Amino acid sequence: MTMNTIGEIFRLTTYGESHGAAVGGILDGFPAGVEIDVNFIQAELDRRRPGQSAITTARAEGDKVEILSGVYEGVSTGTPIAFEVRNENQHSSDYEEMKNLYRPSHADYTYQTKYGIRDHRGGGRSSARETISRVVGGAFAKLALKHFGIQIYAYTSQAGDIKLDSDYTKYDLNKIESNIVRCPDAEKAEQMIELIKSVKAEGDTIGGVITCVIKGVPVGLGDPAFGKLHARLGAAILSINACKGFEYGMGFEGVGGRGSQMNDRFANIDGKIRTTTNHSGGIQGGISNGEDIYFRAAFKPIPTLLFEQNTVDKAGNDAIIKARGRHDPCVLPRAVPIVEAMSAMVILDALLANRSAKL
Amino acid sequence: MTMNTIGEIFRLTTYGESHGAAVGGILDGFPAGVEIDVNFIQAELDRRRPGQSAITTARAEGDKVEILSGVYEGVSTGTPIAFEVRNENQHSSDYEEMKNLYRPSHADYTYQTKYGIRDHRGGGRSSARETISRVVGGAFAKLALKHFGIQIYAYTSQAGDIKLDSDYTKYDLNKIESNIVRCPDAEKAEQMIELIKSVKAEGDTIGGVITCVIKGVPVGLGDPAFGKLHARLGAAILSINACKGFEYGMGFEGVGGRGSQMNDRFANIDGKIRTTTNHSGGIQGGISNGEDIYFRAAFKPIPTLLFEQNTVDKAGNDAIIKARGRHDPCVLPRAVPIVEAMSAMVILDALLANRSAKL
Amino acid sequence: MTMNTIGEIFRLTTYGESHGAAVGGILDGFPAGVEIDVNFIQAELDRRRPGQSAITTARAEGDKVEILSGVYEGVSTGTPIAFEVRNENQHSSDYEEMKNLYRPSHADYTYQTKYGIRDHRGGGRSSARETISRVVGGAFAKLALKHFGIQIYAYTSQAGDIKLDSDYTKYDLNKIESNIVRCPDAEKAEQMIELIKSVKAEGDTIGGVITCVIKGVPVGLGDPAFGKLHARLGAAILSINACKGFEYGMGFEGVGGRGSQMNDRFANIDGKIRTTTNHSGGIQGGISNGEDIYFRAAFKPIPTLLFEQNTVDKAGNDAIIKARGRHDPCVLPRAVPIVEAMSAMVILDALLANRSAKL
Amino acid sequence: MTMNTIGEIFRLTTYGESHGAAVGGILDGFPAGVEIDVNFIQAELDRRRPGQSAITTARAEGDKVEILSGVYEGVSTGTPIAFEVRNENQHSSDYEEMKNLYRPSHADYTYQTKYGIRDHRGGGRSSARETISRVVGGAFAKLALKHFGIQIYAYTSQAGDIKLDSDYTKYDLNKIESNIVRCPDAEKAEQMIELIKSVKAEGDTIGGVITCVIKGVPVGLGDPAFGKLHARLGAAILSINACKGFEYGMGFEGVGGRGSQMNDRFANIDGKIRTTTNHSGGIQGGISNGEDIYFRAAFKPIPTLLFEQNTVDKAGNDAIIKARGRHDPCVLPRAVPIVEAMSAMVILDALLANRSAKL
């Protein structure tokens, strides 16, 4: 959670600006002996790629990942895994006039003030291209988690004002990838797609909510006090561009209820200690209890609008700004694999850390 | 965020079980030269103390803090500051029958499974007594932040189904401490208090929401990528016992809007670059922009109920459990100073880190 | 290695000034399920205690350790273990005149300049009393290492100009504790004791070398690149007060030889892959190879002399200083348990980290 | 010091195997606003390059560094700086027979056992090519340190049995680069070169010692307890391939003296508080005192010999091994820039950390 590194034992460190030479990262602490399916990693990356459908940005970035170290004859060796995606299709000139202007609700002003300098082209380091490294890191983590039977499903549960039921168990999570908005409810998905198209036509944007479900997590992951599993998940998810909120289990909605309604009673189910409900979201006292972990993440409407907005320039003078780049009208469909990726990395890290809990 | 330590440069490491000898912690990286007002620290601790009012637990814990190092002649020396609060008034026998039972929605089962052993008395390490150390750490942080003109206000904005308006600017934050529920709206406060009393009479519990506002933060705190300021705040707040969600700025509610509505335009106000609205919650691209930082945190109804619940014992056999200890019907009033404390520590840490951003 | 914390998974954070209320620390990441023999821990502490023999300082500090958390019914619970030793027998007035004077080769001047303030009494944080926490932390680590058959032996191999042979295999390591200088060669020990006594009579001091041997370490501890096992050991040992050098295996002496002489050939010995010599010191490429780990640490003559020395005061004026406290003429005998303690903590940390090396 | 990352605020994370696609790293926490002279960085890299002279390996690696991020229009931006050097001129077939053999005093056996897999080609991750990333990281650090007037000089002070005087003040440090062995004494340099040539002709190798002097360090860098400046330097230097020992100030040699001889008295020299001698090596109590910092590092004869040695294969069977690659007869000349690089990174990190010491 420090600067550009996340994780304690399994760690991802990332780099890269939108219009620089490349984006990429280094995975350290990835265990040896995991078979690395490069096609799977590239497929994960393709899930976040711009230009993948009619409701994403038209930028057609290829985004091919190259693995530079840490994998030998298709198996991880325990040494750091570096990877990179060279930047292409950069229209830096689209951003020339933004060199001295601060785009509303972007990071231009804060970066410029913090560092006294910024690479303004395409948002520089604050660009969503930074999430490429997260998806690659998450893909590696998923390959390791597969060995432990852990599976992660994220989906768009709200786009603009179109919402799914908050109970994920009502949906077939295997249907998420059957539509371009990544929503397991086919009917709502169609409505969301229509909404996004109409918003796009207006040059405006909408936000929404992503729900994530993690199945197969063993009992015991996460630490007391500050290293609680949901605190780690929350930090990871909140660090994704445009994320404004994180809630797990009963979340904000459930806090209005009574303890007697919300408590999860234990029962012996098929010889296992289980809970009969799961308002806890699979985590009790910061430690996984073996039930499904689930959480929701809020994403704001991205701030790049295709019409004029008032702003100021670096000197503080009034100015007008109008984006000309190619942008997403709604970040949700492409954020789904990013949410999964961050979750995968947190779970793998917690799983490795838990190996030291006992003598 | 690792195990029992939080922070990168300014760090708090905590210890202590509910019925052990003491709870306490070590503050490392606290800057030299800060005047340490021990009365202020104790007063902060008194704000979280059990038994402080008719709507908190009847346990009358004294909770006197002792500072063991790092302060000389009333000024911090730059060396680690250790502090402790000895545990008293422990009714360990209240918990004897819980040695082999798992309390619903508590951490008993997860601790036992993770570690193979637990101190069951009073919840052991998972007890809310652990938050004593957070409040003390936060009090030190507040003393340092005072030098930079940074102020933190948290308040109960929802208890059960009684809610305040989500716009904090409608309230006088100086009135928060004028009632026992710590709510700046006197009328709603009264309603909340009545609700909590009635819930307590039933042996049940309720949750709610705490809103926190941080004023005076300079532009530039927080890092790109994983160390975003709101990700650090989120991790810190989510690590508080019973917290189920965190949102900042427009939060979950705002994601249904359009970008054109939610963007914060820049303007030159009195010679300063400011935003005309603050949907961003004082943070853009993970870095503070000089506007008020504000966020909301969800707290579940605490799971200790004063009537019988079904559960299982360690062997997985069906059992009945009924709490006999003295417990809070609603965690919110006492959680207010904890939310402030965690925020203060995160902000101080980010402020110190920012000293290295530029040459 | 950051400020007052050492370790990655198993971590010790310490606090305390010489004449403050207490010295102590928090152990985090100590595995659950280790039987905690408090008598053993106290006995280790007694090995570093002042006043234990005719060749140490006459200060008769009791130094009783109290464990405050993390141990329940004699077994570690996996939660942080806090411990403290209250300071007693403080003659702060011995130090009054040193408030404004900088003792030669002490940390007075550097602390004062770094922090702008210091607790000058008894050396404050830079006092060797800080090593109490290290010995306690190391004693816990030894209790865990016992389960893995790992044993650590340190001894005084040089005091002033009296030296043992550099080959530790020539000595019976079980004889180390048979004399007050902690030297396995009885004859040399006698000479060392005589030398220390005569130096003490002069009010002067001497330094020396401690050799440490670690037996039973499995193959595989330590990491490539920066986390090499000997780099971690080196950092830990060099962080002990008065330590001026660290060498392992062939060390400085061996670098004058040829590769053909110094290489350790592999051989199959009793069905195990072993090396026929051990110039590598049990570590190859930063990773333990299963042979004995051994290293040497240089300790300077401590700078507190019982006669007048030239110095300056805080304002930079010439001054004369003469220590009046009670001090050790030679730090070596009491440093032996500290070297063992630091080694034990590094090895336990590396052992836990290695659990994540493979899938 | 964790795995493949070094540093707390300014951090280098490295990756890369000898015969993989590339070696490189990410620098995080490098301050914004530093002018980046790419030619200087490449020149530093050229100082460690194989094939640079008659006494280094004949491998003629080009080793051109590419900077991928974090630098915009020639100035650092505060965001992570990634860099890479593509591997070329790999004779992997030279290593084919070593796939199943363990080279004596190399890391083959320990890596294989730790991870269950290794990239054997050219030593894989344990190859000295890993130090490329260190030199690049150090070059960046030097560019930042220049702004503070801090200069670092390392030189070969011993090769085999040819030694310089241990007092570095006897030499003109500007003459270091005037010969291929990087020794400021022209006569001794000539002898060293002759020795290395003759050793090379035998197919054997020699080790030696590098002395390093750091000038211009302000008072106050380094932390009490575990983060002592010399402990950080020691860990950094000991982590360099083939390093067997580290000593600073009086080192091992000085511990035989008396305190009365070794103490550094303070005096007011030209209005500044200085010490009249410097046995402390510029560090007192772990904190820099403004005097020159100096230390010595021992490097073993590298273990790759061009004649037959006994060893075992992976199955534990007796075998004969003979290196056929192109190797250095003496690591010292090329290790000089690596020692400087590690020192530069530690000093910059400590300098940034010190900005938080006081309010």
Side-chain angles (χ1 to χ4, degrees):
Chain A
M1 213 178 91
T2 305
M3 295 193 273
N4 299 281
T5 297
I6 192 163
E8 298 294 326
I9 291 178
F10 168 57
R11 282 192 296 253
L12 170 64
T13 303
T14 72
Y15 69 87
E17 281 82 38
S18 180
H19 291 210
V23 295
I26 301 176
L27 296 164
D28 202 3
F30 190 78
V34 180
E35 284 181 40
I36 304 305
D37 178 347
V38 179
N39 291 332
F40 172 75
I41 295 166
Q42 184 62 50
E44 285 291 281
L45 203 49
D46 292 345
R47 291 176 69 209
R48 89 159 276 296
R49 197 181 55 202
Q52 65 183 269
S53 79
I55 57 170
T56 65
T57 170
R59 291 195 311 275
E61 297 163 3
D63 292 347
K64 292 296 169 198
V65 65
E66 182 186 13
I67 296 168
L68 300 171
S69 65
V71 179
Y72 182 58
E73 297 185 342
V75 178
S76 65
T77 62
T79 62
I81 297 169
F83 59 87
E84 74 184 28
V85 172
R86 292 274 163 171
N87 288 328
E88 301 166 1
N89 197 261
Q90 301 155 355
H91 292 202
S92 295
S93 59
D94 284 356
Y95 294 88
E96 190 55 31
E97 67 177 355
M98 293 177 195
K99 190 164 188 172
N100 291 304
L101 295 182
Y102 294 138
R103 291 170 299 162
S105 287
H106 272 96
D108 303 335
Y109 169 62
T110 52
Y111 269 65
Q112 184 70 39
T113 307
K114 182 181 184 75
Y115 296 115
I117 179 178
R118 79 182 199 279
D119 180 352
H120 69 284
R121 301 167 302 163
R125 180 67 179 152
S126 71
S127 162
R129 279 192 72 72
E130 178 260 346
T131 59
I132 285 175
S133 305
R134 299 171 183 243
V135 172
V136 175
F140 275 92
K142 283 182 178 180
L143 289 171
L145 292 178
K146 217 165 55 173
H147 288 268
F148 302 96
I150 298 171
Q151 283 177 300
I152 300 174
Y153 304 87
Y155 61 89
T156 301
S157 55
Q158 181 181 340
D161 53 359
I162 303 169
K163 302 182 191 189
L164 265 62
D165 192 289
S166 66
D167 181 359
Y168 72 88
T169 65
K170 293 188 176 162
Y171 300 101
D172 179 351
L173 303 179
N174 294 310
K175 294 203 173 148
I176 294 169
E177 295 292 318
S178 63
N179 55 66
I180 57 177
V181 80
R182 297 201 163 92
C183 170
D185 180 319
E187 199 177 327
K188 295 274 188 180
E190 207 50 52
Q191 295 171 24
M192 289 176 180
I193 292 166
E194 287 314 304
L195 175 62
I196 294 170
K197 284 181 178 171
S198 77
V199 164
K200 185 182 180 183
E202 295 168 28
D204 212 335
T205 61
I206 54 168
V209 174
I210 289 174
T211 295
C212 184
V213 184
I214 312 173
K215 289 176 173 287
V217 177
V219 187
L221 306 200
D223 292 313
F226 307 116
K228 290 190 171 81
L229 187 58
H230 56 267
R232 289 169 176 270
L233 283 168
I237 298 301
L238 285 160
S239 78
I240 301 173
N241 290 18
C243 186
K244 302 299 290 184
F246 171 90
E247 59 179 8
Y248 79 105
M250 69 181 75
F252 279 90
E253 203 177 287
V255 301
R258 299 284 164 101
S260 53
Q261 300 165 316
M262 297 320 243
N263 273 5
D264 295 318
R265 272 75 176 180
F266 287 104
N268 187 323
I269 299 178
D270 299 333
K272 279 191 171 171
I273 294 176
R274 300 281 306 274
T275 60
T276 56
T277 52
N278 187 15
H279 301 295
S280 298
I283 301 173
Q284 287 171 330
I287 300 170
S288 61
N289 69 352
E291 305 299 322
D292 287 355
I293 293 172
Y294 64 95
F295 64 81
R296 299 170 78 245
F299 288 87
K300 71 172 180 180
I302 57 167
T304 306
L305 310 180
L306 299 183
F307 45 78
E308 293 187 344
Q309 299 182 81
N310 293 324
T311 190
V312 297
D313 63 15
K314 274 161 75 172
N317 300 313
D318 287 346
I320 299 286
I321 196 163
K322 183 184 167 186
R324 287 189 304 176
R326 297 152 296 167
H327 302 282
D328 285 281
C330 179
V331 79
L332 278 288
R334 291 177 53 209
V336 162
I338 304 168
V339 167
E340 290 178 7
M342 296 309 292
S343 302
M345 288 192 286
V346 170
I347 296 295
L348 178 58
D349 191 29
L351 190 143
L352 295 173
N354 194 42
R355 292 182 173 176
S356 302
K358 290 181 213 170
L359 186 62
Chain B
M1 216 178 90
T2 305
M3 293 194 275
N4 299 281
T5 298
I6 192 163
E8 298 294 326
I9 292 178
F10 168 58
R11 283 193 295 254
L12 170 64
T13 302
T14 71
Y15 69 86
E17 280 81 39
S18 180
H19 291 210
V23 294
I26 300 175
L27 295 163
D28 202 2
F30 190 77
V34 181
E35 285 182 40
I36 303 305
D37 178 347
V38 179
N39 291 333
F40 172 75
I41 294 166
Q42 184 63 49
E44 285 290 282
L45 204 48
D46 291 348
R47 291 176 70 210
R48 88 158 278 295
R49 196 181 56 201
Q52 65 182 270
S53 79
I55 57 170
T56 65
T57 169
R59 292 195 311 274
E61 296 163 4
D63 292 346
K64 292 296 169 199
V65 65
E66 182 185 13
I67 297 167
L68 301 171
S69 64
V71 179
Y72 182 58
E73 297 185 340
V75 178
S76 64
T77 62
T79 61
I81 298 169
F83 59 86
E84 72 183 31
V85 171
R86 292 275 164 170
N87 288 326
E88 299 166 3
N89 196 265
Q90 301 155 353
H91 292 201
S92 294
S93 58
D94 283 357
Y95 293 88
E96 190 55 32
E97 66 177 355
M98 293 177 196
K99 191 164 187 171
N100 292 304
L101 294 183
Y102 294 137
R103 292 170 300 163
S105 288
H106 273 95
D108 303 337
Y109 168 62
T110 53
Y111 269 65
Q112 184 70 39
T113 308
K114 181 181 184 74
Y115 297 115
I117 178 177
R118 79 182 200 277
D119 180 352
H120 70 285
R121 301 167 304 162
R125 179 66 180 153
S126 71
S127 162
R129 279 193 72 72
E130 178 261 345
T131 59
I132 285 175
S133 304
R134 298 171 183 242
V135 171
V136 174
F140 275 92
K142 283 181 177 180
L143 289 171
L145 291 179
K146 217 166 54 173
H147 288 267
F148 303 96
I150 298 171
Q151 282 177 301
I152 300 173
Y153 304 88
Y155 61 89
T156 301
S157 54
Q158 181 181 340
D161 53 358
I162 303 170
K163 301 181 189 188
L164 266 61
D165 191 290
S166 67
D167 181 359
Y168 71 88
T169 65
K170 294 189 175 163
Y171 301 101
D172 179 353
L173 302 180
N174 295 309
K175 294 202 172 147
I176 294 169
E177 294 293 318
S178 63
N179 57 66
I180 57 177
V181 79
R182 298 200 161 93
C183 169
D185 179 320
E187 199 177 324
K188 295 275 187 178
E190 207 50 51
Q191 293 171 25
M192 289 175 179
I193 292 165
E194 287 314 304
L195 175 62
I196 294 170
K197 284 181 177 170
S198 78
V199 164
K200 185 182 180 183
E202 295 169 28
D204 212 333
T205 61
I206 54 168
V209 174
I210 289 174
T211 295
C212 185
V213 184
I214 312 173
K215 288 175 173 289
V217 177
V219 188
L221 306 199
D223 292 312
F226 307 116
K228 290 190 171 81
L229 188 58
H230 56 266
R232 289 171 176 268
L233 282 167
I237 299 301
L238 286 160
S239 78
I240 301 172
N241 291 18
C243 185
K244 302 299 290 185
F246 172 91
E247 58 179 9
Y248 79 106
M250 69 182 75
F252 278 91
E253 205 177 284
V255 300
R258 299 284 164 102
S260 53
Q261 300 164 317
M262 296 321 244
N263 272 6
D264 295 319
R265 273 74 177 182
F266 287 105
N268 187 323
I269 299 177
D270 300 333
K272 278 192 171 169
I273 294 177
R274 300 282 306 275
T275 60
T276 55
T277 52
N278 188 15
H279 301 296
S280 298
I283 301 172
Q284 287 171 329
I287 300 171
S288 61
N289 69 352
E291 305 299 322
D292 287 355
I293 292 172
Y294 64 95
F295 63 81
R296 300 170 79 244
F299 288 87
K300 71 173 181 179
I302 58 166
T304 306
L305 311 180
L306 299 182
F307 45 77
E308 293 186 345
Q309 298 181 81
N310 293 325
T311 189
V312 297
D313 64 15
K314 274 162 73 172
N317 300 313
D318 288 345
I320 299 287
I321 196 162
K322 184 184 168 186
R324 286 188 307 175
R326 296 151 298 167
H327 302 282
D328 285 280
C330 178
V331 79
L332 278 289
R334 291 177 56 210
V336 163
I338 303 167
V339 166
E340 290 179 6
M342 297 308 292
S343 302
M345 289 192 285
V346 170
I347 297 295
L348 178 57
D349 191 29
L351 190 144
L352 295 173
N354 194 42
R355 291 181 172 177
S356 303
K358 289 181 215 170
L359 185 62
Chain C
M1 211 177 92
T2 306
M3 294 194 274
N4 299 281
T5 298
I6 193 164
E8 299 294 325
I9 292 178
F10 167 59
R11 283 192 295 254
L12 170 65
T13 302
T14 72
Y15 69 86
E17 280 81 40
S18 180
H19 291 210
V23 295
I26 301 176
L27 295 164
D28 202 3
F30 189 78
V34 180
E35 285 183 40
I36 303 304
D37 178 347
V38 179
N39 292 332
F40 172 75
I41 294 166
Q42 184 62 50
E44 285 291 282
L45 204 48
D46 292 347
R47 291 176 69 208
R48 90 157 275 297
R49 197 181 55 203
Q52 65 183 269
S53 78
I55 57 171
T56 66
T57 169
R59 291 194 313 275
E61 296 164 3
D63 292 345
K64 291 297 170 198
V65 65
E66 181 185 13
I67 296 167
L68 301 171
S69 65
V71 179
Y72 182 58
E73 298 185 340
V75 178
S76 64
T77 63
T79 62
I81 297 169
F83 59 87
E84 72 183 32
V85 171
R86 292 275 164 169
N87 289 327
E88 299 166 2
N89 196 263
Q90 302 154 353
H91 292 201
S92 296
S93 59
D94 284 357
Y95 294 88
E96 190 55 30
E97 66 177 355
M98 293 178 195
K99 191 165 188 170
N100 292 304
L101 294 182
Y102 293 138
R103 293 170 298 162
S105 288
H106 273 94
D108 302 337
Y109 169 61
T110 52
Y111 269 63
Q112 184 69 40
T113 306
K114 182 181 184 73
Y115 296 116
I117 179 177
R118 79 182 200 278
D119 180 352
H120 69 283
R121 302 167 304 163
R125 179 66 179 152
S126 71
S127 161
R129 279 192 73 69
E130 178 261 346
T131 58
I132 285 175
S133 304
R134 298 171 183 244
V135 171
V136 175
F140 275 91
K142 283 182 177 180
L143 289 172
L145 292 179
K146 217 166 56 173
H147 288 266
F148 302 96
I150 298 172
Q151 283 177 300
I152 299 173
Y153 305 87
Y155 61 88
T156 301
S157 54
Q158 180 182 341
D161 53 358
I162 303 169
K163 301 182 191 189
L164 266 62
D165 191 290
S166 66
D167 180 359
Y168 71 89
T169 65
K170 294 189 175 162
Y171 301 100
D172 179 352
L173 303 180
N174 295 309
K175 293 204 172 145
I176 294 169
E177 295 293 319
S178 63
N179 56 67
I180 57 177
V181 80
R182 297 202 162 91
C183 170
D185 179 320
E187 199 178 326
K188 295 274 186 178
E190 207 50 53
Q191 295 171 23
M192 289 176 181
I193 291 165
E194 287 314 303
L195 175 62
I196 294 170
K197 284 180 177 170
S198 78
V199 164
K200 186 182 180 183
E202 296 167 28
D204 212 335
T205 61
I206 53 167
V209 174
I210 289 174
T211 295
C212 184
V213 185
I214 312 173
K215 289 176 172 287
V217 177
V219 187
L221 305 200
D223 292 312
F226 307 115
K228 290 190 171 81
L229 188 58
H230 57 266
R232 289 168 176 270
L233 282 167
I237 298 302
L238 285 161
S239 79
I240 301 173
N241 290 18
C243 185
K244 303 299 290 184
F246 171 90
E247 60 179 6
Y248 79 106
M250 69 182 75
F252 279 91
E253 204 177 286
V255 300
R258 299 283 165 103
S260 53
Q261 300 165 316
M262 296 320 243
N263 272 5
D264 295 319
R265 272 76 177 179
F266 287 105
N268 187 324
I269 300 178
D270 299 334
K272 279 192 171 170
I273 294 176
R274 300 281 307 275
T275 60
T276 55
T277 53
N278 188 16
H279 302 295
S280 299
I283 301 172
Q284 287 171 330
I287 300 170
S288 62
N289 69 352
E291 306 299 321
D292 287 355
I293 292 172
Y294 64 95
F295 63 81
R296 301 171 77 245
F299 288 87
K300 72 173 180 178
I302 58 168
T304 306
L305 311 179
L306 298 182
F307 45 78
E308 294 187 345
Q309 299 181 80
N310 293 325
T311 190
V312 296
D313 64 15
K314 272 161 76 171
N317 301 312
D318 288 346
I320 298 287
I321 196 162
K322 182 184 170 189
R324 286 189 305 176
R326 297 150 298 167
H327 302 280
D328 286 279
C330 178
V331 79
L332 278 289
R334 290 176 55 209
V336 163
I338 303 168
V339 166
E340 289 178 7
M342 297 309 291
S343 303
M345 288 193 285
V346 169
I347 296 295
L348 177 58
D349 192 29
L351 190 143
L352 295 173
N354 194 42
R355 290 181 174 179
S356 302
K358 290 182 214 170
L359 186 61
Chain D
M1 211 177 92
T2 305
M3 294 193 273
N4 299 281
T5 297
I6 191 163
E8 297 294 326
I9 292 178
F10 168 58
R11 283 193 294 253
L12 170 64
T13 303
T14 72
Y15 69 86
E17 280 80 40
S18 180
H19 291 211
V23 295
I26 300 176
L27 295 163
D28 203 2
F30 190 78
V34 180
E35 284 181 42
I36 303 306
D37 179 347
V38 179
N39 291 333
F40 172 75
I41 295 166
Q42 183 62 50
E44 285 290 281
L45 204 48
D46 292 347
R47 290 176 70 209
R48 89 159 275 297
R49 197 182 53 204
Q52 65 183 271
S53 78
I55 57 170
T56 65
T57 168
R59 290 194 313 274
E61 297 164 3
D63 292 347
K64 292 297 169 197
V65 66
E66 182 186 12
I67 297 167
L68 301 171
S69 65
V71 179
Y72 182 57
E73 297 185 342
V75 178
S76 64
T77 62
T79 61
I81 297 169
F83 60 85
E84 72 184 32
V85 172
R86 292 275 163 169
N87 288 327
E88 299 167 1
N89 196 263
Q90 302 154 355
H91 293 201
S92 295
S93 59
D94 283 359
Y95 294 88
E96 190 54 33
E97 69 178 355
M98 293 178 194
K99 191 164 187 171
N100 292 304
L101 295 182
Y102 294 136
R103 292 171 298 162
S105 288
H106 273 95
D108 303 335
Y109 169 62
T110 53
Y111 269 64
Q112 184 70 40
T113 307
K114 181 180 185 74
Y115 295 115
I117 179 177
R118 79 182 201 278
D119 181 351
H120 69 285
R121 301 167 302 162
R125 180 68 180 152
S126 72
S127 161
R129 279 192 72 72
E130 179 261 346
T131 60
I132 285 175
S133 304
R134 299 170 183 243
V135 171
V136 175
F140 275 92
K142 283 182 176 180
L143 289 171
L145 291 178
K146 217 166 54 172
H147 289 266
F148 302 96
I150 298 171
Q151 283 178 299
I152 299 173
Y153 305 87
Y155 60 89
T156 301
S157 54
Q158 180 181 340
D161 53 357
I162 303 170
K163 301 182 192 191
L164 266 62
D165 191 289
S166 66
D167 181 359
Y168 71 89
T169 65
K170 294 189 175 161
Y171 300 100
D172 179 352
L173 303 180
N174 295 309
K175 294 204 172 145
I176 294 169
E177 294 294 318
S178 62
N179 57 66
I180 56 177
V181 79
R182 299 202 161 91
C183 170
D185 180 320
E187 198 178 325
K188 294 275 187 179
E190 208 49 54
Q191 294 171 25
M192 289 175 180
I193 292 165
E194 287 314 304
L195 175 62
I196 295 170
K197 284 181 178 170
S198 78
V199 164
K200 185 182 179 184
E202 295 169 28
D204 212 335
T205 61
I206 55 168
V209 174
I210 288 174
T211 295
C212 184
V213 185
I214 311 174
K215 290 176 172 287
V217 177
V219 188
L221 306 200
D223 293 311
F226 307 116
K228 290 188 172 81
L229 188 58
H230 57 265
R232 289 170 176 270
L233 283 168
I237 298 301
L238 285 160
S239 78
I240 300 173
N241 290 17
C243 185
K244 302 300 288 185
F246 171 91
E247 59 179 8
Y248 79 106
M250 70 182 75
F252 279 91
E253 203 176 287
V255 301
R258 299 284 165 103
S260 53
Q261 301 164 317
M262 296 320 245
N263 272 6
D264 294 319
R265 272 75 175 181
F266 287 105
N268 187 324
I269 299 178
D270 299 333
K272 279 193 171 169
I273 294 177
R274 300 280 308 275
T275 60
T276 55
T277 53
N278 188 16
H279 302 296
S280 298
I283 302 172
Q284 287 172 329
I287 299 171
S288 62
N289 69 352
E291 306 298 323
D292 287 354
I293 292 172
Y294 64 95
F295 64 80
R296 301 170 77 245
F299 288 87
K300 72 172 182 180
I302 57 166
T304 306
L305 310 180
L306 299 183
F307 45 78
E308 293 187 347
Q309 298 181 82
N310 293 325
T311 189
V312 297
D313 64 15
K314 273 160 77 171
N317 301 313
D318 288 346
I320 299 287
I321 196 162
K322 182 183 169 187
R324 286 188 305 174
R326 295 151 297 167
H327 302 281
D328 286 281
C330 178
V331 80
L332 277 289
R334 290 177 56 210
V336 163
I338 303 168
V339 166
E340 289 179 7
M342 297 308 292
S343 302
M345 289 192 285
V346 169
I347 296 295
L348 178 58
D349 192 29
L351 189 143
L352 295 173
N354 194 42
R355 291 182 173 177
S356 302
K358 290 181 211 168
L359 186 63

